[in-house]
Amino acid sequence: MFKVITLSEAQALIQSKFGDLRLHGETVILDNAMGRFLAIDIISDEFVPAFDRSTVDGFAVVSRDLRGCSDSIPAILRKAGESPMGEMPTHTLQPGECFYVPTGGALPQGADAMVMIEFVEDFGAGEYAFVKPVAPGANMIFKGEDLKPGDQILPLGKQLNSADIGTLASMGMTEIEVFVQPKVAVISTGDELVPAAGKLTPGKIRDVNTPMLAALLHESGAIAQTHEIVPDQRDLLREAIMSAIETADVLLVSGGTSVGEHDNLPILIEELGKILVHGIAIKPGKPTIIGQIGGKPVFGLPGNPVAVFFMFRALVKPLLYSLANSRIEPILTEARLTRAISSNHGREEVILVRLEGDQATPVPSKSGLISTVSKANGYFLIPRDREGLAAGDVVHIIRL
């Protein structure tokens, strides 16, 4: 018999038991840092950009020289030189002068704005007419406007994206310290299972959970250590668990989590470690187990692939981020249901939807049919105390 707790209680328990666990750091080259989690704060030790830089092709000016100019009364400035790309100009701009600077080039000292070349007329003899005033700082980036020495560039625990890689490259950083990737052992158990490439015979089903969990772990920045399918034999499952827990940081076992006579996992977790939770008030996912063996987190996931998918997202993935001193910030999209949904299970229920604009259409789903998740692009939770929702009700969608 399950003694269930709510999903939020389960998440809080994982945080309290395992929230202080951290992986150690390692140094990787920048080319291999995409998607990894920073193990240090990145602090700037230089100015970016290192000089006043033009964002347009045109002329550097002293902005006050153009005050009040117009088509009928242009400001006439003398060209004092050109800025060579990749070099710093040596000229200091004086009042009444302009200086040609290409896009990305350095402005001369004394200049405080750029004017696009389209708005300048060559009068000949080195004189140029400017017909519109310009504000200080227009069309340019000041030295250190992006970063200054001592500025925090990226915080500890940040998962690096492509823009972050570019930022680090702009600082001249070719190596970076990141958290090692967590190693997560994956075991599927059940007499009815055959590998995805195996031949189906009557009564058999393909193992969906091992390849799906391996993919979810890859998406989460972890290393999957997959195990061959384990039959419903206690000794074989014990052997697989003991072998896996030696090298893994986290253990995931799918199947055998209920209380039937062939459900060996609860017995083995208690024998080898401790069960912290057995039963979560959510559909799908009620028989989920949270435990620990040798101080390492262990998750017993139901055999139902849809339940595995959502329990991984709700419980396992946040823990993997926490190991790298990070956290997941779900982005919620507000939408209206296109039809009514019933729910009277006394537990939260995951509802898959197809989100189009601000309309969310529930995707019909039956237990264990993982293809229904592929047809959806989001989901939401119906609270356990609601008997359902009406068409037109506003829900907050978590995107898939």
Side-chain angles (χ1 to χ4, degrees):
M1 194 70 179
F2 297 118
K3 183 180 180 181
V4 301
I5 64 174
T6 66
L7 180 62
S8 60
E9 288 171 340
Q11 291 167 330
L13 181 142
I14 292 170
Q15 178 62 28
S16 68
K17 292 293 184 180
F18 306 119
D20 292 333
L21 294 179
R22 293 291 181 271
L23 301 164
H24 62 82
E26 65 176 351
T27 300
V28 300
I29 63 172
L30 193 60
D31 289 347
N32 295 336
M34 179 67 182
R36 301 292 294 273
F37 294 87
L38 283 173
I40 57 172
D41 289 313
I42 302 297
I43 306 297
S44 175
D45 61 359
E46 59 185 40
F47 291 95
V48 178
F51 53 87
D52 292 345
R53 183 172 178 266
S54 175
T55 62
V56 299
D57 190 24
F59 287 88
V61 298
V62 179
S63 59
R64 63 177 177 272
D65 284 345
L66 273 59
R67 191 175 301 159
C69 69
S70 64
D71 290 328
S72 57
I73 309 175
I76 309 299
L77 304 180
R78 289 174 285 103
K79 182 181 177 182
E82 297 186 3
S83 181
M85 283 297 291
E87 298 180 23
M88 291 297 297
T90 57
H91 182 77
T92 298
L93 201 65
Q94 303 298 321
E97 293 181 337
C98 61
F99 203 87
Y100 174 74
V101 182
T103 303
L107 276 69
Q109 290 188 17
D112 68 350
M114 285 291 301
V115 178
M116 295 176 66
I117 198 168
E118 295 91 328
F119 302 120
V120 182
E121 184 177 350
D122 186 352
F123 270 20
E127 292 188 335
Y128 289 81
F130 295 78
V131 297
K132 289 184 178 179
V134 65
N139 302 315
M140 62 172 288
I141 301 173
F142 286 104
K143 176 182 178 180
E145 188 171 331
D146 193 6
L147 293 169
K148 297 180 178 65
D151 286 351
Q152 184 184 73
I153 305 173
L154 298 169
L156 169 73
K158 174 75 164 64
Q159 186 175 27
L160 296 173
N161 58 35
S162 54
D164 300 329
I165 299 298
T167 298
L168 294 170
S170 76
M171 298 299 300
M173 302 185 72
T174 58
E175 294 184 336
I176 194 72
E177 188 172 350
V178 295
F179 285 101
V180 300
Q181 294 174 277
K183 296 184 288 293
V184 183
V186 177
I187 300 173
S188 288
T189 178
D191 290 336
E192 75 281 13
L193 299 178
V194 298
K199 183 179 179 180
L200 286 181
T201 57
K204 298 290 187 179
I205 60 173
R206 291 190 177 93
D207 175 20
V208 172
N209 292 338
T210 296
M212 182 176 68
L213 283 169
L216 287 166
L217 289 166
H218 178 73
E219 286 179 357
S220 306
I223 297 172
Q225 297 180 331
T226 57
H227 193 284
E228 62 184 14
I229 296 167
V230 179
D232 287 322
Q233 297 179 33
R234 190 172 302 173
D235 289 344
L236 293 178
L237 183 56
R238 179 190 293 107
E239 182 181 337
I241 289 173
M242 292 177 66
S243 174
I245 207 72
E246 286 183 8
T247 59
D249 300 300
V250 179
L251 172 63
L252 309 180
V253 182
S254 70
T257 63
S258 194
V259 290
E261 62 179 81
H262 296 295
D263 294 313
N264 296 306
L265 187 60
I267 297 170
L268 289 174
I269 294 177
E270 280 289 6
E271 181 183 301
L272 300 173
K274 181 180 181 181
I275 288 180
L276 303 173
V277 172
H278 190 184
I280 298 177
I282 191 168
K283 179 185 178 183
K286 182 179 178 181
T288 298
I289 298 172
I290 304 169
Q292 59 184 16
I293 297 176
K296 296 180 180 181
V298 175
F299 292 87
L301 303 172
N304 173 353
V306 178
V308 169
F309 181 86
F310 285 108
M311 289 300 94
F312 180 92
R313 289 179 62 96
L315 303 178
V316 181
K317 187 173 182 178
L319 173 61
L320 297 178
Y321 275 55
S322 176
L323 292 175
N325 204 69
S326 188
R327 60 184 297 176
I328 298 172
E329 299 289 351
I331 299 175
L332 302 179
T333 300
E334 192 173 275
R336 292 186 179 276
L337 287 175
T338 60
R339 64 176 176 83
I341 291 290
S342 62
S343 179
N344 58 0
H345 310 283
R347 48 188 166 137
E348 289 180 281
E349 184 172 1
V350 177
I351 303 296
L352 291 161
V353 298
R354 186 71 194 173
L355 184 64
E356 296 179 358
D358 63 351
Q359 301 293 302
T361 300
V363 175
S365 178
K366 289 187 178 181
S367 178
L369 298 181
I370 192 61
S371 63
T372 59
V373 182
S374 296
K375 296 172 184 176
N377 61 2
Y379 68 95
F380 69 95
L381 295 176
I382 296 183
R384 64 187 304 191
D385 58 352
R386 293 289 297 270
E387 293 187 356
L389 297 171
D393 280 354
V394 174
V395 292
H396 293 91
I397 306 298
I398 301 171
R399 290 185 176 273
L400 291 175

